[in-house]
Each structure stands twice: as structure tokens, then as C-alpha cells.
């Protein structure tokens, strides 16, 4: 059997954006085939971490390392990381006037007839034809943006899938579909649901955490990953006593 | 069909400006190389495409009614005469290639196009200079008459060497219910292009649409106009200019003059990839209204490609160059849709060239 690809290993990572240090001493490992959750208050640096992994150049790595299946990611640009199989559903993706989502899907399909067919089937099955003929994110509702992003991610079939608040702006009915799509992405083989892709998801949604299996949650506060553990236990604790309890936890360790 | 021994311009040269050398899938073809007519023929009943010289000799009325000599017309200008007879709706497009390949100082043209009532045609004019032609002037006058209920789409594709100066002058008259569409596409714009087409919508319900897509690279100066006089009730006009600057000087103009109850809109948009030392885009959309029921509006925007857009596409696996091309393509497409396959390919090429940041 092939080893599952997608191991992410972050060591001692510090990142600056716009001259401000937003991530400090991050240690985080996502073993292959596991799906982890990243939680934390607004502005704690969750998006920054995902953007740094994807390779957005404005997130400047000051120290530390990020490796993916043993490859050092830091010398690689956005394109190269994407081509290694890293995918990101952005929290706030840009609008691209005049460029239809279809064009991007065609690019992803490339010359591979099998992949093209897969993408066509995907559009039909998910009933997303109307989104495909729209310009990328132009005049889309918040929920539609997430659906389009997930469709794109599914089309790309990344080995390591990152999702930044896939649920925000999505209505209660659509969130069920969204979870199905997420599961389809993370457990690509229907017959073997336990054979999973590697993933890192930013979400605080009970619906998602109830429907999409996750292996571990990491709590991020003020640009640091404070602790990690069983997603249910951590979410329960946060729901009961807020992120403040995590801060207390941190200070206890000092 | 008339063939001569004159050298036929290079096929690749013609292909650059969307002209099919053999005239396949074209209802008519006219090819002029320097001062000499290479061929002219029509394959469609009711369509006439001959040299202007021959037309002036054949039709005495032409000089009286439709041929207005201009300051540039010294000597005997070359050019074509195109006529579609009343009621003839030609399905295949026709084409003309106006080429400069030898060291001639100037090419002086005077074309006349007549669409009689209820006729329709799509016409492609490709203007191109030879790869090794260092400099020269191309002066072209085009008079177009669109009859009642007639429809005429004129797509002009230009590709000039760096030393060529181009002065297109066109005047178009549209009668009741007629429609005139002008598309202008230029990838290689020579040293300068100064175009100021004027259209008169004289009959009720007549309409005009101008679309231009240009790439202004280093060393070129482009001034694109487009004045439309809306002289009758129910007339409509639309101007959409799109320009990409990679170092050239670009001025987009468009003046709509509403003399009657009408609808008109002008939209100029520019994207600066690299202004270089002295490149710029200037947008001057203009409106002039003389009637309380003239509904007229304009918009203009100039910007650069947003880095987030490029990065977003790169994060989907595109190379930077591919991402830039895709964005430019989208930009050029907005507001200018349904241009047909040939133009789609040209736009692809512009996006491709601009993506490289140079010619
Ligand atoms: N491009 C940027 N330029 C300047 N500051 C930035 C930039 N990106 C992020 N920041 C700052 O970095 C900090 C972390 O932001 P980040 O978006 O990573 O937070 P987050 O945890 O994702 O928050 P939220 O839950 O609100 O999405 C914030 O203070 C933010 O203002
Ligand atoms: Mg965020």
C-alpha cells in the first residue's frame, strides 16, 4: 500500500505581515490522513497560518520551518505548493471580474479526460451549474462563495486540504450539503471512509464538527498555538468557559 | 475572380489579422499589398467587393453620392468598394487585408462600404505591416452607409511594426432601424494610431456599438476616439473601450451627442500592467445632450491587476504568467461579449502578450 501523502510539520514558526509579528513559535503537526481543527478568537492568527502554509508571500516567515511530506515548503512559491497538492478554501477570496469559474475549472481539468469528466459530474451532482457560469465570486452571496470554493477544492482533489471557515455565511439547509461535500473531499473513497485525506479546518461550527470527523483540535490565541487535543473535549470547554479558559491554561503552564 | 502575379503577402502575416488567405469560409475577399491589388472576389450573390478604382470607373454615382475626397486623398488612393444589395443577408463574413510589406512611405486608402436597405453582413478588415518594414504611414478613409433596417458589423484587426504610423478616418451613416457595430482590436499598434471614427445615427431607431480592445506596449501612442451623433428619436449608442498598458501611451475617448430622445452609454476601462518610463492611460468619456429625453451615461475606470487576484489563481495551481493572462482576458471580456472565434483568439493573444509584460 502507498503511504498516504499529506504530512504537514510546522516547527517554531514565526511570521510577520505588514511589519507586524502575527504568529509566534508555532509547532503543529498534522499526520497524514488526519483532519485537524484550528480554533481561536478573531484576530488570533488562524487565517495567517493557513495563508503562510499556502505560500502567500506577504506572510513573511521570520523563523522556523514548514515541511510537507518531508519537502521544505519555504523556498516554494504559491504555484509550486498548489501543485504539490496543497489546497486552500479562503475565508475571503477575491472577486475576479470577467473570469468565469468555468474557466478555472477547465484549467484544472487540463487535458485529462478523466479529470474533466469527474469535474463535470461533480458540477451536476452538486447542482452547482449556475455558479460555474458566474464570474469568480462576483456578486455572489456569502454562502455561494463558500460553495464555489468547495467545488473548486473538490475539483482540484488536493492531498492536503485547508478550509478557512467554510461554514460562515452558509444557511442551515446548505450546511448539510456543505458537510457532505467536505466529507467527499476528506474521505474520497466511498467504500473506505476511514481512508482519509489530510486536512486543516478553521471552524467553530457544531454542525460541521458533528458531521465531519476530526482527529484533533488546536487552540490559537494571540498568534500562538496554546494547546491541542480531542476536538469534542476542547470545544466543550471553550463553549462552557470561552477562550479565556485557554489563556488560564497557558498561564498555569508558566 | 482576379489573380495577379504580385507577391501575395505571407500567410502568417494575414493570419495575424484574422484574414484567411484562401478565402475559405468567407463570402468575399479583397487583398491589397502596398499599392497593388492582389485579389478581389465575391462568392455570394448580392455581395460586391472590388477595388475602389474600379468602382469609381464603373459607377458614376459613387463619386457624387458616397465618395468624399479627404485631405489625405492626394493622387489616386487605393482601397475597396463593398456593397451588399438590398435585402441580402450574407451569412458568411467577408474580409479585406490591407498590407504594407515593401518600403513605401505611405499607403493611402479610401474605402466605401454600402449596405443597402435590409441587407446584412459581417466584415473583417485586417491591416498589417511586414515583419521587416521599418517605417511608413497608413492613412485610411472609410465611408460606410448602413441603409434602412440593414445590419453591419465591422471588425478591424491591426498589427503593425514598431515604426508604422496609422491614421484611420471613418465616417458612418446609419438610417432608420439600421445597426452598425464596430470592433477594433490591436495587438501591435505601431508607433502611433490616431483613430477618430464618427457615426451619424440619422434614422429613427438606428443604433451603433463601438468596442475596442487594445494593447499599448512600449513605444506606441494610441488615441482612440468614437463620436456618435444620435440625431433621431429612439436611437441608441454604446461605446466600450478596453485598454491594457504595458508601457505605451493610450488615450481613450468617446463622445456621444444626443440631439433627440435616445439612449447612450460610454464605458472606458484601462488596466496598467507596467507603465514603464512614460506610459499612461487617459480616459475621456464624453456626453453632450441637447434633448430632455436623451438618456446618457458614462463610466471610466483605470486600475492595475490586484495582487490578491493573481495570488488566488496561483494558489489554484496557475503560474503567475497564466494567472495574469486569465485576469486580463476577463478584463477585456467584460462589456464586450460575443465577438466571435477570431476575436476570441486575438484577445487570448493580447492577454498572453500582456502576461509576459512585453511584446
Ligand atoms: N495582510 C495583512 N496586513 C496587515 N495585518 C494583517 C494582515 N493579515 C492579517 N493581519 C493581522 O493579523 C492578525 C491575525 O489575523 P488573521 O486574519 O490571521 O486572524 P484570524 O484568526 O483568522 O481571525 P478571524 O477569526 O477574524 O478570521 C490580525 O490582527 C490582523 O489584523
Ligand atoms: Mg480568519
Amino acid at each position: 500500500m502507498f503511504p498516504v501523502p499529506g504530512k504537514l510539520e510546522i516547527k517554531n514558526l514565526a511570521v510577520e505581515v505588514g511589519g507586524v509579528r502575527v504568529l509566534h513559535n508555532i509547532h503543529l503537526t498534522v499526520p497524514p490522513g488526519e483532519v485537524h481543527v484550528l480554533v481561536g478568537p478573531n484576530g488570533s492568527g488562524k487565517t495567517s497560518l493557513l495563508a503562510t502554509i499556502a505560500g502567500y508571500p506577504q506572510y513573511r516567515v521570520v523563523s522556523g520551518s514548514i515541511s510537507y511530506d518531508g519537502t521544505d515548503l519555504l523556498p516554494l512559491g504559491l504555484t509550486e505548493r498548489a501543485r504539490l497538492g496543497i489546497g486552500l478554501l479562503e475565508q475571503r477570496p477575491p472577486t475576479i471580474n470577467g473570469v468565469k469559474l468555468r474557466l478555472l475549472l477547465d484549467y484544472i481539468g487540463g487535458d485529462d479526460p478523466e479529470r474533466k469528466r469527474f469535474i463535470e459530474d461533480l458540477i451536476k451532482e452538486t447542482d452547482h451549474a449556475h455558479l460555474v457560469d458566474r464570474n469568480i465570486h462576483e456578486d455572489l452571496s456569502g454562502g455561494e462563495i463558500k460553495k464555489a470554493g468547495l467545488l473548486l477544492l473538490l475539483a482540484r482533489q488536493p492531498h492536503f486540504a485547508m478550509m478557512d471557515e467554510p461554514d460562515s455565511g452558509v444557511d442551515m439547509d446548505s450546511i448539510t450539503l456543505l458537510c457532505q461535500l467536505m466529507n467527499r473531499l476528506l474521505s474520497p473513497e466511498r467504500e473506505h471512509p476511514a481512508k482519509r485525506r489530510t486536512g486543516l479546518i478553521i471552524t467553530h461550527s457544531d454542525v460541521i464538527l458533528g458531521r465531519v470527523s476530526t482527529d484533533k483540535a488546536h487552540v490559537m490565541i494571540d498568534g500562538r498555538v496554546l494547546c491541542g487535543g480531542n476536538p469534542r473535549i476542547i470545544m466543550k470547554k471553550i463553549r462552557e468557559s470561552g477562550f479565556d479558559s485557554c489563556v488560564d491554561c497557558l498561564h498555569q503552564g508558566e | 475572380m482576379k489573380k495577379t502575379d504580385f507577391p501575395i503577402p505571407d500567410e502568417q502575416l494575414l493570419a495575424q489579422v484574422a484574414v484567411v488567405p484562401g478565402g475559405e469560409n468567407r463570402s468575399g475577399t479583397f487583398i491589397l499589398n502596398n499599392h497593388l491589388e492582389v485579389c478581389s472576389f465575391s462568392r455570394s450573390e448580392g455581395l460586391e467587393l472590388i477595388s475602389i478604382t474600379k468602382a469609381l470607373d464603373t459607377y458614376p454615382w459613387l463619386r457624387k453620392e458616397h465618395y468624399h475626397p479627404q485631405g489625405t486623398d492626394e493622387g489616386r488612393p487605393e482601397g475597396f468598394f463593398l456593397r451588399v444589395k438590398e435585402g441580402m443577408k450574407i451569412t458568411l463574413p467577408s474580409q479585406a487585408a490591407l498590407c504594407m510589406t515593401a518600403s513605401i512611405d505611405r499607403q493611402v486608402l479610401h474605402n466605401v462600404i454600402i449596405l443597402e436597405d435590409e441587407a446584412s453582413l459581417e466584415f473583417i478588415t485586417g491591416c498589417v505591416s511586414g515583419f521587416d518594414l521599418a517605417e511608413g504611414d497608413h492613412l485610411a478613409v472609410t465611408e460606410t452607409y448602413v441603409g434602412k433596417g440593414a445590419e453591419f458589423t465591422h471588425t478591424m484587426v491591426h498589427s503593425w511594426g514598431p515604426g508604422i504610423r496609422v491614421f484611420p478616418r471613418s465616417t458612418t451613416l446609419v438610417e432608420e432601424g439600421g445597426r452598425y457595430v464596430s470592433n477594433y482590436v490591436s495587438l501591435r499598434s505601431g508607433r502611433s494610431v490616431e483613430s477618430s471614427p464618427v457615426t451619424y445615427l440619422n434614422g429613427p431607431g438606428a443604433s451603433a456599438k463601438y468596442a475596442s480592445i487594445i494593447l499599448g506596449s512600449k513605444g506606441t501612442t494610441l488615441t482612440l476616439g468614437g463620436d456618435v451623433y444620435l440625431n433621431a428619436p429612439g436611437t441608441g449608442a454604446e461605446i466600450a473601450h478596453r485598454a491594457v498598458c504595458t508601457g505605451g501611451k493610450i488615450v481613450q475617448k468617446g463622445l456621444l451627442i444626443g440631439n433627440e430622445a435616445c439612449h447612450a452609454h460610454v464605458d472606458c476601462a484601462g488596466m496598467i500592467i507596467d507603465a514603464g518610463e512614460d506610459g499612461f492611460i487617459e480616459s475621456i468619456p464624453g456626453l453632450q445632450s441637447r434633448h430632455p429625453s436623451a438618456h446618457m451615461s458614462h463610466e471610466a475606470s483605470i486600475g492595475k491587476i490586484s495582487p490578491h487576484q493573481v495570488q488566488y489563481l496561483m494558489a489554484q495551481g496557475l503560474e503567475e504568467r497564466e494567472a495574469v493572462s486569465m485576469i486580463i482576458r476577463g478584463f477585456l471580456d467584460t462589456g464586450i461579449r460575443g465577438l466571435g472565434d477570431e476575436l476570441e483568439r486575438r484577445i487570448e493573444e493580447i492577454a498572453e502578450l500582456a502576461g509576459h509584460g512585453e511584446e
Side-chain angles (χ1 to χ4, degrees):
Chain A
M1 212 182 93
F2 284 112
V4 182
K7 181 185 184 185
L8 183 83
E9 217 171 353
I10 297 175
K11 284 186 190 148
N12 196 32
L13 184 73
V15 171
E16 266 181 25
V17 57
V20 178
R21 185 77 58 104
V22 291
L23 299 179
H24 313 266
N25 294 70
I26 306 274
H27 288 272
L28 191 144
T29 299
V30 187
E34 286 193 14
V35 178
H36 288 196
V37 189
L38 196 58
V39 296
N42 295 142
S44 58
K46 304 179 297 294
T47 296
S48 303
L49 180 60
L50 264 49
T52 307
I53 298 168
Y56 272 85
Q58 54 272 46
Y59 294 87
R60 208 171 66 77
V61 173
V62 184
S63 69
S65 68
I66 309 175
S67 80
Y68 175 72
D69 279 340
T71 306
D72 179 8
L73 286 188
L74 295 186
L76 306 183
L78 278 159
T79 310
E80 288 162 298
R81 296 190 201 188
R83 291 183 179 180
L84 276 182
I86 295 176
L88 168 62
L89 178 118
E90 290 188 30
Q91 186 175 16
R92 272 192 303 267
T95 294
I96 308 182
N97 298 59
V99 179
K100 294 200 163 62
L101 180 57
R102 152 84 51 202
L103 196 66
L104 190 50
L105 289 170
D106 283 350
Y107 179 92
I108 291 165
D111 300 327
D112 183 347
E114 215 166 295
R115 204 183 180 103
K116 275 187 184 312
R117 199 166 337 107
F118 169 79
I119 294 174
E120 285 316 310
D121 291 347
L122 195 67
I123 295 168
K124 270 197 218 101
E125 284 165 35
T126 55
D127 207 15
H128 277 3
H130 60 291
L131 287 182
V132 167
D133 291 322
R134 301 276 296 269
N135 289 333
I136 294 174
H137 306 133
E138 192 179 16
D139 301 326
L140 294 189
S141 73
E144 285 171 334
I145 288 177
K146 300 295 166 181
K147 288 178 197 171
L150 204 53
L151 181 68
L152 195 59
L153 209 55
L154 266 160
R156 289 192 50 217
Q157 294 281 307
H159 300 304
F160 181 71
M162 297 186 283
M163 290 171 248
D164 195 344
E165 309 209 5
D167 48 290
S168 72
V170 178
D171 64 51
M172 285 314 282
D173 291 342
S174 299
I175 208 154
T176 316
L177 170 72
L178 199 85
C179 291
Q180 276 168 14
L181 293 180
M182 287 173 72
N183 279 324
R184 203 168 151 180
L185 176 69
L186 296 169
S187 297
E189 291 184 42
R190 238 168 260 214
E191 310 298 314
H192 307 281
K195 257 194 194 171
R196 306 200 80 199
R197 287 220 168 86
T198 317
L200 185 56
I201 307 171
I202 300 176
T203 186
H204 301 95
S205 154
D206 292 335
V207 184
I208 288 192
L209 292 169
R211 287 177 183 256
V212 178
S213 303
T214 52
D215 300 279
K216 194 172 178 182
H218 304 269
V219 183
M220 196 155 188
I221 290 176
D222 287 340
R224 292 167 210 274
V225 174
L226 294 192
C227 66
N230 181 294
R232 271 172 206 277
I233 297 172
I234 289 193
M235 288 313 290
K236 186 163 175 279
K237 177 79 180 140
I238 290 172
R239 255 190 303 280
E240 281 164 4
S241 35
F243 287 111
D244 289 348
S245 58
C246 297
V247 179
D248 296 342
C249 240
L250 175 75
H251 289 298
Q252 270 168 21
E254 276 171 5
Chain B
M1 170 159 170
K2 172 181 153 194
K3 279 232 175 221
T4 66
D5 301 330
F6 302 131
I8 295 175
D10 193 272
E11 290 205 2
Q12 274 183 329
L13 212 58
L14 295 180
Q16 268 186 28
V17 288
V19 170
V20 189
E24 295 87 12
N25 292 318
R26 297 283 191 250
S27 49
T29 295
F30 176 86
I31 299 180
L32 180 84
N33 195 15
N34 304 318
H35 299 305
L36 302 168
E37 179 189 335
V38 176
C39 66
S40 63
F41 55 86
S42 160
R43 289 189 173 137
S44 256
E45 203 200 317
L47 177 101
E48 193 175 8
L49 183 51
I50 56 176
S51 74
I52 192 72
T53 322
K54 188 171 167 197
L56 286 169
D57 289 345
T58 318
Y59 303 119
W61 49 263
L62 181 60
R63 193 178 292 276
K64 263 187 263 153
E65 290 168 35
H66 298 98
Y67 187 90
H68 300 91
Q70 311 274 314
T72 54
D73 280 13
E74 48 204 71
R76 244 168 111 81
E78 308 293 331
F80 59 80
F81 170 74
L82 167 70
R83 176 161 63 149
V84 184
K85 298 252 171 74
E86 190 174 338
M88 299 308 291
K89 308 213 181 291
I90 313 287
T91 43
L92 283 180
S94 280
Q95 61 177 6
L98 308 168
C99 315
M100 289 171 78
T101 56
S103 313
I104 49 173
D105 287 346
R106 53 183 7 206
Q107 188 179 46
V108 182
L109 306 172
H110 193 136
N111 310 310
V112 176
I113 299 169
I114 300 172
L115 268 87
E116 297 184 357
D117 295 352
E118 303 296 332
S120 78
L121 178 71
E122 190 189 330
F123 190 59
I124 299 162
T125 305
C127 296
V128 62
S129 69
F131 302 111
D132 44 6
L133 184 61
E135 52 186 43
D137 289 355
H138 171 93
L139 301 98
V141 173
T142 303
E143 296 184 61
T144 305
Y145 300 86
V146 180
K148 290 193 177 110
E151 253 182 63
F152 184 55
T153 299
H154 196 176
T155 296
M156 283 148 278
V157 185
H158 281 194
S159 184
W160 300 109
I164 312 291
R165 299 188 304 173
V166 186
F167 306 89
R169 292 276 175 275
S170 42
T171 310
T172 303
L173 243 92
V174 188
E175 293 186 41
E176 182 173 349
R179 176 157 178 80
Y180 172 63
V181 177
S182 157
N183 300 314
Y184 178 73
V185 181
S186 183
L187 290 143
R188 298 180 187 82
S189 303
R191 194 192 322 164
S192 68
V193 174
E194 235 188 274
S195 163
S196 49
V198 183
T199 300
Y200 301 91
L201 300 175
N202 288 345
S207 66
K209 176 172 179 176
Y210 277 98
S212 79
I213 294 179
I214 54 171
L215 173 67
S217 46
K218 193 173 173 328
T220 68
T221 303
L222 279 140
T223 307
L224 287 196
D227 296 358
V228 182
Y229 289 80
L230 298 108
N231 292 334
T235 46
E238 200 185 323
I239 298 178
H241 287 309
R242 294 286 178 274
V244 175
C245 170
T246 57
K249 304 184 180 75
I250 300 169
V251 181
Q252 304 172 312
K253 293 196 265 197
L255 178 62
L256 300 168
I257 300 121
N259 291 325
E260 278 290 342
C262 60
H263 275 92
H265 183 70
V266 50
D267 164 16
C268 299
M271 186 182 267
I272 299 199
I273 305 291
D274 174 11
E277 276 165 33
D278 54 1
F280 64 81
I281 299 178
E282 185 177 339
S283 285
I284 317 169
L287 304 175
Q288 193 182 93
S289 174
R290 298 171 191 276
H291 197 281
S293 294
H295 296 281
M296 311 179 80
S297 56
H298 68 68
E299 59 187 301
S301 64
I302 304 175
K304 64 175 177 111
I305 291 189
S306 110
H308 191 189
Q309 291 180 343
V310 178
Q311 291 167 353
Y312 173 81
L313 292 176
M314 288 172 74
Q316 313 304 324
L318 278 75
E319 279 169 29
E320 184 172 5
R321 183 178 53 78
E322 294 172 320
V324 170
S325 288
M326 196 179 271
I327 293 163
I328 294 174
R329 199 103 227 188
F331 162 74
L332 293 175
D333 268 351
T334 54
I336 308 180
R337 290 188 199 287
L339 293 184
D341 291 351
E342 277 305 336
L343 279 187
E344 292 291 318
R345 268 195 283 276
R346 276 341 96 176
I347 291 170
E348 200 82 64
E349 231 175 300
I350 291 184
E352 194 59 29
L353 284 174
H356 280 86
E358 59 190 22
E359 285 232 321

